[in-house]
Amino acid sequence: MVKVYRNFDQKQLNIEYNARGTVSDHTIFNRQNDAFSQEARDSVDCLVDVPYGKHPDEILDIFPAGKNAPVFIYIHGGYWRANSQKQAAAMAPNFVQHGVSVVPINYSLAPGASLDTITTQCRAAVAWVWNNGKKIFDADVDRFFVGGTSAGGHLTGMILSAGWHDTQNVPVDFLKGALALNGLYDLEPVRLSEPNQWIKLDEESARLNSPIHHLPKYGCPLVVSYGGSETSEFKRQSNIYAAAWIEQGWPCSLFEVTERNHFNIPHDLRDASKRLCREVFEMIGVKNSS
């Protein structure tokens, strides 16, 4: 057996980084995300397809929760190659009901866009909301939070990372907390496995876009979680990122949601009684959330 990464040969490494292979039919959960997000747009006041940049893909949706509400920006998953902000609003009715504005953001997709471009877009989107949120939907810019799942978990890590804030005119400590769900934080094994067919990383870009190598100077409270049916490598990725956060002395909650998988773990954000939602609400400062 030729080892490609850690103790994995090429075949096993590809299996470890194949999220779709962990469920019998991932399209079931895609349809659920579509339905829950459409329900949110139908039931909650929202501003749709608001541009944060000049590219047609640089848009976001806003679900305001009222005057001076905290803001939760959410980044969709799809292994950087699928989906949009239109599948990322499932939690909006629950969050708005509890006084938290929700802003799902969109970005260009691989392979048409590089990961450098995708990361830059997401940082620009978050910065745009921080710089314009007070004027547009009366956001409380002192209570600003970000989260995402899968590719969105990785991109959350890149937004938390150091070295970009001056270029986007935001303070280094503008984020007050974050949620990272089943993300990838060290992209070297991604470079060596099947997903690199569309994300096209070389050794330098893999390191540049790995949150584990670019921890911020100022940490914030962080919730890290993943589904019970994730592969060992997806679980390890979350574990090493949480461990690095804790090693810096920053608050971090790490736990597995055993009954959820890679695709439906964000659904727990729809229910204030679920641990995942409770911990996010506690981080944001929501009172009497269940």
Side-chain angles (χ1 to χ4, degrees):
M1 179 179 73
V2 178
K3 295 180 181 179
V4 175
Y5 181 78
R6 299 181 71 220
N7 289 321
F8 302 116
D9 63 14
Q10 190 65 66
K11 180 179 179 181
Q12 187 59 41
L13 188 64
N14 288 343
I15 291 172
E16 287 290 325
Y17 283 91
N18 179 9
R20 292 178 178 179
T22 60
V23 296
S24 59
D25 183 0
H26 74 278
T27 65
I28 294 171
F29 308 106
N30 292 343
R31 291 192 294 271
Q32 289 176 343
N33 288 332
D34 288 342
F36 289 147
S37 294
Q38 185 61 55
E39 178 184 337
R41 289 188 293 275
D42 291 341
S43 63
V44 180
D45 289 341
C46 60
L47 305 171
V48 298
D49 298 333
V50 179
Y52 67 82
K54 295 181 179 180
H55 193 281
D57 295 333
E58 294 174 351
I59 55 176
L60 49 82
D61 295 343
I62 301 170
F63 295 82
K67 185 176 180 180
N68 241 13
V71 179
F72 181 68
I73 296 180
Y74 192 70
I75 310 171
H76 71 83
Y79 237 144
W80 307 291
R81 63 170 174 168
N83 302 324
S84 75
Q85 89 278 15
K86 298 305 181 188
Q87 289 84 42
M91 80 293 294
N94 180 36
F95 276 51
V96 169
Q97 180 185 351
H98 286 88
V100 181
S101 298
V102 175
V103 182
I105 66 174
N106 193 54
Y107 51 86
S108 299
L109 300 176
S114 69
L115 195 49
D116 288 349
T117 295
I118 293 169
T119 295
T120 298
Q121 287 178 324
C122 289
R123 288 170 171 171
V126 173
W128 185 92
V129 179
W130 190 85
N131 283 301
N132 294 277
K134 185 67 177 176
K135 176 178 64 177
I136 293 176
F137 60 104
D138 211 355
D140 183 352
V141 296
D142 292 324
R143 292 187 291 165
F144 222 71
F145 304 84
V146 65
T149 185
S150 191
H154 161 264
L155 292 164
T156 294
M158 292 303 291
I159 290 167
L160 291 172
S161 67
W164 63 273
H165 300 77
D166 287 348
T167 64
Q168 295 291 345
N169 192 31
V170 292
V172 293
D173 60 350
F174 80 111
L175 288 173
K176 307 309 178 187
L179 168 67
L181 294 177
N182 47 54
L184 298 168
Y185 310 101
D186 178 1
L187 299 191
E188 179 60 12
V190 176
R191 179 182 76 86
L192 297 171
S193 56
E194 188 175 12
N196 210 40
Q197 292 178 10
W198 58 85
I199 202 59
K200 301 185 184 305
L201 300 170
D202 58 23
E203 191 171 351
E204 181 181 2
S205 61
R207 187 173 182 86
L208 180 66
N209 287 287
S210 292
I212 197 74
H213 297 308
H214 304 283
L215 295 176
K217 183 177 180 180
Y218 302 96
C220 61
L222 176 65
V223 176
V224 179
S225 191
Y226 50 83
S229 63
E230 296 280 9
T231 66
S232 64
E233 273 293 285
F234 265 89
K235 291 181 180 182
R236 186 186 68 85
Q237 289 269 351
S238 288
N239 290 334
I240 63 170
Y241 190 58
W245 208 256
I246 292 167
E247 187 176 353
Q248 298 297 315
W250 302 326
C252 181
S253 176
L254 169 68
F255 58 94
E256 176 181 303
V257 182
T258 307
E259 67 275 15
R260 291 298 193 182
N261 61 50
H262 185 87
F263 300 94
N264 66 8
I265 188 172
H267 296 175
D268 275 15
L269 297 176
R270 302 177 66 241
D271 184 345
S273 71
K274 299 292 188 181
R275 178 182 179 181
L276 184 63
C277 191
R278 290 200 315 268
E279 293 213 9
V280 172
F281 278 177
E282 182 179 350
M283 177 178 66
I284 295 173
V286 173
K287 294 181 173 61
N288 300 318
S289 62
S290 60

